[in-house]
């Protein structure tokens, strides 16, 4: 039963996101708000970054870049990059 409730909550959350994201700009604003709530730091792409937070993001218009780096990342550790777009067709 817990798995069913969790799936239902996830589906409702997805539908709320899609309903509130009629354009790429809305989708990025909503995703940025979700990242902020999850503890990610917003960075300004036009400012110098003295330190990169372990979890951060940059949002501009219809574009969003976010990352999370483990605290104890080995110098030769691999990493994953995931990309998507929200422009055509719109959500």
């Amino acid at each position: 039963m817990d798995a069913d409730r969790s799936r239902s909550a996830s589906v409702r959350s997805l539908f709320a996101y899609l309903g509130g994201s009629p354009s790429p700009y809305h989708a990025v604003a909503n995703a940025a708000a979700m990242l902020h709530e999850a503890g990610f730091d917003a960075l300004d792409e036009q400012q110098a970054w003295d330190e990169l937070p372990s979890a951060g993001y940059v949002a501009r218009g219809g574009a969003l870049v976010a990352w999370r780096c483990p605290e104890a990342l080995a110098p030769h550790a691999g990493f994953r990059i995931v990309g998507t777009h929200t422009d055509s067709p719109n959500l």
Side-chain angles (χ1 to χ4, degrees):
M1 290 302 279
D2 288 336
D4 289 340
R5 269 187 240 143
S6 178
R7 272 192 291 267
S8 293
S10 294
V11 169
R12 283 193 300 276
S13 176
L14 173 61
F15 282 149
Y17 175 75
L18 293 174
S21 301
S23 76
Y25 304 99
H26 292 92
V28 167
N30 289 327
M34 292 165 62
L35 289 168
H36 181 75
E37 288 175 22
F40 283 66
D41 294 324
L43 294 176
D44 184 340
E45 67 182 293
Q46 296 183 6
Q47 299 295 319
W49 301 346
D50 295 327
E51 261 186 56
L52 193 63
S54 61
Y57 67 93
V58 175
R60 178 182 58 170
L64 173 71
V65 175
W67 60 89
R68 182 183 304 262
C69 300
E71 295 289 328
L73 185 62
H76 299 290
F79 61 91
R80 295 180 186 118
I81 297 175
V82 177
T84 187
H85 62 91
T86 59
D87 55 346
S88 179
N90 285 337
L91 296 174

